Amino acid sequence: MNSNGVVIHSNRLVNNGVQSQNLQNGSSVLVRVASYKGNGVYEGYVAGVKVNITSQKQLQIGQSFPAKIFVKDGIIQLKSDILDSSKAQILINNSKNEVITQLLNNLGISADAVTTRILHQMKQLEMKFDSKLINKIKNAALKFKGKELKVSELLLLLEEKEINFTEEELLNLLAQIEDYSQQNKNQNKKENFKELNKFNEKKQNWIFLPFEFVSYNDNVLGNGILKLLLGVNSKIIEMVNIETVYKNHEYNFSLLFENKKCSKIYFNIPEMKYNKIDIFIDMLKSKIGKNVQIEYKEKEELSGTSCLTEEFYSLHGEV
């Protein structure tokens, strides 16, 4: 590693590519602590990059603080009054973004926002990493300015189900998924949704189901969309994503299943104060049991099909 600095690729991605930051020794960064993994290791964000932070001094989940970044003996270190600077380190080599960049480079593809999203979703759908298909999806998505990420996700789902869509049909479908909080009786959009939910018995399937919260006097209290990832032959639920607005508050949940049981719950509630996150987690565990892992996630990680929750690992340079 270059002792003069380190390039960190931020996951706060711009529409047409990854915005990279060249951080030198002594650069100021913003640190946010997202969760505690045990043994003094926290998961957090540094300059927008998701990394592991090791500190013997106890950190508070949800807290944010400024720090300076240094490179010493090949290790990236943070220094701040909040941290025990002699013990705190960022293990950037374990960063998800770095591993994905390496994999995309191996495929001969530049690492940008769209290709990163496509790669995550390919892993989620257990698809072969195909550089030609990645470029095909990316080039088509870039035609939809401002909607590249969402369109790339939809295009890959349609590709997986072997469904062909026109640009107009794709925009109608995207509008229906995005505007689930608004009732729309347009029959063409309904037909598009029906097409998206077609089954492919040989592969995994995403099923999109809009819903409403209605009071006893038929007042609509909220709307949402339920997204189910079904395994091959559609017999086992692998993931459930819930995006909803209830009484003007937004909620995002992602439930992961193993052996037909919910094993993890990721959530994001934008209005929730950070000091209330642990209280909310304890409340959920009291209702569903302590064996389920519950974590707070950034909203962009839970958007769409929650493919950004997929993990990538490298061992001896192999992803």
Side-chain angles (χ1 to χ4, degrees):
M1 182 177 297
N2 188 339
S3 61
N4 294 323
V6 58
V7 176
I8 292 181
H9 293 285
S10 172
N11 68 350
R12 306 286 185 180
L13 301 173
V14 296
N15 287 332
N16 293 323
V18 176
Q19 183 68 41
S20 64
Q21 301 179 56
N22 188 12
L23 301 179
Q24 305 296 326
N25 278 323
S27 292
S28 296
V29 294
L30 182 66
V31 181
R32 189 177 74 74
V33 182
S35 63
Y36 183 60
K37 303 177 72 172
N39 298 321
V41 179
Y42 297 80
E43 186 175 78
Y45 292 80
V46 177
V49 177
K50 183 179 178 182
V51 294
N52 291 334
I53 302 173
T54 302
S55 178
Q56 290 191 355
K57 183 175 181 179
Q58 184 176 356
L59 304 177
Q60 298 300 314
I61 307 303
Q63 75 177 120
S64 298
F65 55 88
K68 289 190 175 182
I69 191 167
F70 295 89
V71 179
K72 182 179 180 180
D73 298 328
I75 298 293
I76 301 175
Q77 298 183 337
L78 291 174
K79 290 188 178 181
S80 170
D81 293 338
I82 301 295
L83 297 169
D84 177 356
S85 59
S86 64
K87 299 296 183 181
Q89 298 177 350
I90 303 178
L91 305 179
I92 196 70
N93 289 330
N94 291 338
S95 166
K96 182 191 296 184
N97 286 9
E98 184 171 303
V99 176
I100 292 173
T101 299
Q102 175 189 337
L103 178 54
L104 286 169
N105 287 339
N106 291 343
L107 291 170
I109 302 172
S110 60
D112 56 37
V114 179
T115 53
T116 298
R117 179 65 65 97
I118 293 170
L119 198 69
H120 273 93
Q121 196 171 13
M122 280 185 159
K123 183 175 186 297
Q124 182 185 67
L125 294 173
E126 298 180 355
M127 298 175 68
K128 179 182 178 181
F129 295 147
D130 184 336
S131 59
K132 290 184 179 179
L133 179 57
I134 293 174
N135 281 323
K136 174 186 174 182
I137 298 294
K138 175 185 175 180
N139 291 334
L142 291 178
K143 297 177 182 178
F144 299 83
K145 298 298 181 183
K147 299 179 181 293
E148 294 91 342
L149 296 180
K150 293 179 180 179
V151 169
S152 68
E153 201 169 72
L154 276 178
L155 284 171
L156 198 61
L157 290 179
L158 296 170
E159 181 78 25
E160 181 75 348
K161 296 189 178 189
E162 301 175 357
I163 300 173
N164 293 319
F165 261 51
T166 66
E167 290 189 12
E168 182 180 358
E169 289 170 333
L170 190 64
L171 284 173
N172 285 340
L173 178 58
L174 183 63
Q176 186 180 17
I177 292 174
E178 288 184 321
D179 299 336
Y180 56 76
S181 61
Q182 301 177 11
Q183 286 186 323
N184 194 314
K185 304 300 182 181
N186 186 298
Q187 186 62 33
N188 290 332
K189 291 185 180 181
K190 285 187 176 182
E191 289 300 318
N192 285 340
F193 228 134
K194 183 178 179 181
E195 285 290 307
L196 178 63
N197 286 341
K198 278 186 175 179
F199 281 86
N200 186 328
E201 295 183 356
K202 297 180 181 179
K203 299 179 180 179
Q204 294 177 311
N205 288 276
W206 270 107
I207 304 298
F208 291 66
L209 305 172
F211 63 87
E212 289 182 338
F213 294 104
V214 182
S215 66
Y216 66 93
N217 55 359
D218 292 332
N219 288 329
V220 177
L221 303 178
N223 306 72
I225 186 164
L226 185 70
K227 303 175 182 179
L228 306 176
L229 177 60
L230 305 178
V232 178
N233 298 323
S234 304
K235 294 181 179 180
I236 298 176
I237 294 178
E238 297 189 359
M239 177 181 282
V240 176
N241 290 342
I242 304 170
E243 298 175 10
T244 184
V245 176
Y246 179 72
K247 293 184 176 180
N248 297 320
H249 291 280
E250 188 175 359
Y251 300 85
N252 289 273
F253 293 89
S254 185
L255 288 67
L256 283 71
F257 290 78
E258 295 180 9
N259 299 321
K260 299 182 180 181
K261 293 183 179 179
C262 180
S263 59
K264 296 180 182 179
I265 296 177
Y266 300 135
F267 72 95
N268 180 275
I269 305 174
E271 299 84 1
M272 179 175 287
K273 302 293 184 182
Y274 282 126
N275 59 0
K276 301 293 185 182
I277 290 177
D278 286 342
I279 297 175
F280 183 75
I281 290 176
D282 290 340
M283 182 192 72
L284 284 179
K285 287 189 173 182
S286 69
K287 295 182 179 296
I288 62 177
K290 296 182 178 181
N291 292 330
V292 179
Q293 179 182 338
I294 304 175
E295 293 183 26
Y296 175 90
K297 293 286 186 181
E298 296 294 311
K299 182 181 176 181
E300 55 265 30
E301 291 183 88
L302 299 186
S303 65
T305 60
S306 291
C307 59
L308 293 186
T309 60
E310 291 290 332
E311 295 290 344
F312 286 80
Y313 304 95
S314 66
L315 181 64
H316 303 306
E318 294 293 328
V319 178

